[in-house]
Amino acid sequence: MSNAILNDLPEDVLMDIFSRLPVKTLLQFKSVCKSWYDIIKDPVFITKHANRSNHGNNGYLAVTRRDDTFGSTCLISLFSFETFREIYNITIPSKKEHSKAPFRIVGSCNGVLCLNVSKIGDTNFLFNPATNEFKELPKPDYPVNDLGENKILLYIGLGFGHNPETNDYKLVRISFCKKMKESFYSTVDVYSLSTNSWRRKDKLVHGTISGNTFSKGDLNGALHWKGAIEKKKVIHHIIISFNIRDEVHGYIKLPAGIELDNKDWHPFVRNGLLCIVVVSSRRQYEPRFDTWVMNEYGVEETWTKQWSLGPLLARNLVGCGRNEELLFAASTRMYLYDLQKIKPPHDDILDGDILGSNFVDKIEVVNHIESLVTIEGTKVYVKRRKRSWFRENQFLLFVIFLKIISLTLCLLKIKYRV
C-alpha cells in the first residue's frame, strides 16, 4: 500500500493500523510526513498502542543482569514471552556514580521501567528503552522514619503503577515510621510523574512492610506487599495494599489456618488473580513452594491451595509467564518450570530449564512491553546487543583457556624431562 493511499484513509483508520505496529517502525514513520508525525505523537494514539500491546503476545520478561562475568555494568535483558529466549539486552544509561550500582527493577507499566539503586528507596529512575528516554527522579524531602535512618532496621516497600483516569505514573514508598499504642506504623510517600515531585500522605499505615521488597502484585489498580501488623505484641501476617487511583491503603487477610512462622512468603499476581507463595520447607537448601490463590479479590474465604512444587534447586519465585510457566531464581541463575508439562503432585522436581546465569543477586522479573509513552526524560544513547553465545559463556571459555594452558605446561614438562 503506497503512502498516497494511506494518506487518503481516515485518521481513525490510520490510527488503528499504526497501533498494531512495533515501536521501531512507528519511530521511522514519524519522519514520513507531518500528518503521520501528529498521529504518532498524539497521546490518545500512544495510549491506544500501549493498551493493544498489553493485551498482545509480543511482550517481554525484563530482568537485570551483569554486563559480563567480571564486570559490574548493569544491563536489562529482555526475554520473549513465547520462547523464553533472550532477544537482546540494553545497557542502562546512568551517571558514573551509578554505573556500578546494583540496579533493581521496581516495576514496569506501559513500557516504562522503574529502577532503584538505594536501600532506602530514595534514588530511583524511569526508563523507556524503546524511546531511549531516561529520567532520574528527585529524592523525597521526607526522612524514612522519625528515629533516624541509622537507628533502626529499615523496612522499605516500593511499587510502581499507573492511574489511567489521570494518565499519571506513580512511585509509592512505604517505610517504617514509629511505634504507637503497642503497635507499629508506616508512612507513605508518593511520587507523581505529572508534577515530578513527592508528597507524604497524612494518614499512617497501621503495620509495616516485612523486609525490603517491591510490589509483585499490581492488580485491580492496587499494589501489594508482604506485611505485618502488631497487636498487643502479637505479630499478624497480612498483605498491605495501596490503590493507585484514590491513594488509599488496605489489608487483605491470608488463608485461614496457614502457618507462616519462620517461613518466607510473598504475594504475586498470576493469571489475573492474587496469589501467595510460601516456602514451606527446606531440605538441604532445596525448598518446597506452596501456592494459594484468591479466586475472588478481597474475599478471604476464596483462598484455595493450588499446588505444591518441589523440592527445587531454587531460592525464590520471581515471576510468571503468560500460561502455566513459573520462574524461580537461585542466586544469579534463573529457572523455568512449566506446570503444563509437570504433572501433579509435582514431587521430587529438581531441575528446570535454565534461562541463563550472570543475573544480579536478588533477581526481579517483570512483564514488559515496548511503547511510545513519554516520561519527559532525557534522550540518551542506548546500546542494544543481541544475544551472544560468546558473551554468555565467557566464564566457561576462560576456564577452558586456563585448562589448556595448564595442560600445555604439563606436556612441556614431560617433553623436557624425556
Side-chain angles (χ1 to χ4, degrees):
M1 186 180 292
S2 68
N3 292 349
I5 296 175
L6 282 174
N7 284 329
D8 291 335
L9 293 175
E11 184 175 306
D12 59 334
V13 176
L14 270 177
M15 188 176 290
D16 185 69
I17 294 173
F18 288 173
S19 68
R20 304 169 189 273
L21 301 177
V23 171
K24 182 178 180 181
T25 302
L26 293 172
L27 293 175
Q28 294 172 341
F29 279 7
K30 286 171 62 177
S31 304
V32 173
C33 62
K34 186 178 184 303
S35 61
W36 288 18
Y37 177 88
D38 291 339
I39 290 175
I40 295 170
K41 290 286 288 184
D42 189 336
V44 174
F45 169 75
I46 292 174
T47 300
K48 182 182 181 68
H49 182 269
N51 289 339
R52 188 179 292 277
S53 297
N54 277 319
H55 292 92
N57 295 318
N58 297 321
Y60 303 96
L61 295 168
V63 57
T64 313
R65 71 192 312 175
R66 297 295 185 187
D67 183 21
D68 53 56
T69 304
F70 304 104
S72 55
T73 301
C74 284
L75 306 170
I76 297 292
S77 281
L78 297 181
F79 288 80
S80 166
F81 267 141
E82 296 298 313
T83 65
F84 291 99
R85 294 180 65 86
E86 185 182 22
I87 305 301
Y88 59 87
N89 53 54
I90 305 163
T91 301
I92 300 175
S94 59
K95 295 180 180 179
K96 186 176 181 180
E97 59 265 32
H98 301 311
S99 62
K100 295 184 178 181
F103 275 92
R104 299 179 65 191
I105 303 177
V106 177
S108 175
C109 282
N110 296 334
V112 178
L113 288 167
C114 182
L115 309 173
N116 171 264
V117 295
S118 64
K119 292 182 179 179
I120 61 173
D122 66 343
T123 307
N124 305 284
F125 307 85
L126 296 183
F127 178 36
N128 186 333
T131 62
N132 299 349
E133 275 191 295
F134 188 78
K135 184 182 184 67
E136 182 173 359
L137 305 187
K139 293 188 177 182
D141 296 328
Y142 315 101
V144 174
N145 60 67
D146 296 342
L147 303 178
E149 295 174 1
N150 297 322
K151 295 182 180 179
I152 193 166
L153 179 64
L154 299 176
Y155 296 120
I156 303 294
L158 291 176
F160 182 58
H162 175 245
N163 181 1
E165 295 178 359
T166 60
N167 196 28
D168 194 11
Y169 292 83
K170 297 179 182 181
L171 174 61
V172 180
R173 182 180 74 169
I174 299 183
S175 55
F176 177 85
C177 175
K178 61 180 69 175
K179 277 205 168 189
M180 297 187 304
K181 299 179 182 179
E182 298 184 353
S183 187
F184 40 72
Y185 289 79
S186 299
T187 56
V188 180
D189 301 317
V190 180
Y191 166 83
S192 171
L193 179 61
S194 62
T195 62
N196 192 35
S197 62
W198 289 85
R199 66 183 184 281
R200 173 156 287 183
K201 301 291 293 180
D202 294 332
K203 189 174 181 180
L204 296 177
V205 172
H206 179 203
T208 184
I209 302 299
S210 300
N212 295 334
T213 182
F214 301 149
S215 171
K216 294 296 183 183
D218 185 354
L219 182 65
N220 290 349
L223 303 168
H224 302 83
W225 296 271
K226 168 186 175 182
I229 291 178
E230 182 184 25
K231 293 182 179 179
K232 297 181 180 180
K233 298 184 179 181
V234 177
I235 303 295
H236 302 274
H237 300 284
I238 202 164
I239 296 174
I240 297 178
S241 67
F242 186 84
N243 192 291
I244 292 294
R245 291 184 176 88
D246 54 24
E247 297 189 357
V248 173
H249 70 270
Y251 309 95
I252 296 177
K253 292 184 178 180
L254 300 182
I258 186 174
E259 293 291 338
L260 292 177
D261 292 338
N262 300 319
K263 293 179 181 179
D264 192 18
W265 68 276
H266 294 279
F268 68 103
V269 171
R270 183 166 179 262
N271 293 334
L273 297 174
L274 184 64
C275 311
I276 62 169
V277 60
V278 181
V279 182
S280 61
S281 65
R282 292 188 180 275
R283 187 186 71 185
Q284 296 180 348
Y285 304 103
E286 296 171 2
R288 188 177 192 85
F289 298 86
D290 298 331
T291 295
W292 279 260
V293 176
M294 178 173 270
N295 293 298
E296 185 176 346
Y297 184 77
V299 181
E300 178 188 358
E301 292 76 18
T302 63
W303 281 112
T304 304
K305 188 174 181 180
Q306 190 174 51
W307 48 258
S308 184
L309 187 63
L312 304 181
L313 294 174
R315 185 179 61 188
N316 59 308
L317 176 69
V318 293
C320 305
R322 286 192 180 273
N323 299 309
E324 296 293 318
E325 306 93 351
L326 299 170
L327 300 170
F328 290 88
S331 185
T332 59
R333 178 169 287 187
M334 193 161 65
Y335 297 88
L336 170 72
Y337 292 85
D338 190 341
L339 293 187
Q340 291 183 343
K341 298 178 180 178
I342 304 172
K343 301 301 181 183
H346 310 316
D347 290 329
D348 299 321
I349 301 171
L350 293 177
D351 297 322
D353 295 328
I354 299 176
L355 294 188
S357 56
N358 209 28
F359 297 102
V360 298
D361 194 22
K362 297 182 179 179
I363 300 172
E364 287 96 19
V365 178
V366 297
N367 294 342
H368 181 70
I369 62 167
E370 289 189 328
S371 79
L372 293 164
V373 171
T374 180
I375 53 176
E376 300 178 354
T378 303
K379 288 283 186 176
V380 293
Y381 171 72
V382 174
K383 184 185 294 183
R384 288 177 170 80
R385 284 179 288 191
K386 291 187 176 181
R387 186 183 181 200
S388 168
W389 182 91
F390 177 80
R391 178 172 294 277
E392 290 185 352
N393 294 275
Q394 287 184 75
F395 183 73
L396 175 62
L397 293 174
F398 181 71
V399 171
I400 294 174
F401 174 74
L402 292 179
K403 292 287 186 181
I404 293 173
I405 294 296
S406 176
L407 180 61
T408 302
L409 292 175
C410 290
L411 292 175
L412 289 173
K413 288 182 180 179
I414 294 173
K415 177 180 178 180
Y416 286 111
R417 283 179 182 174
V418 175

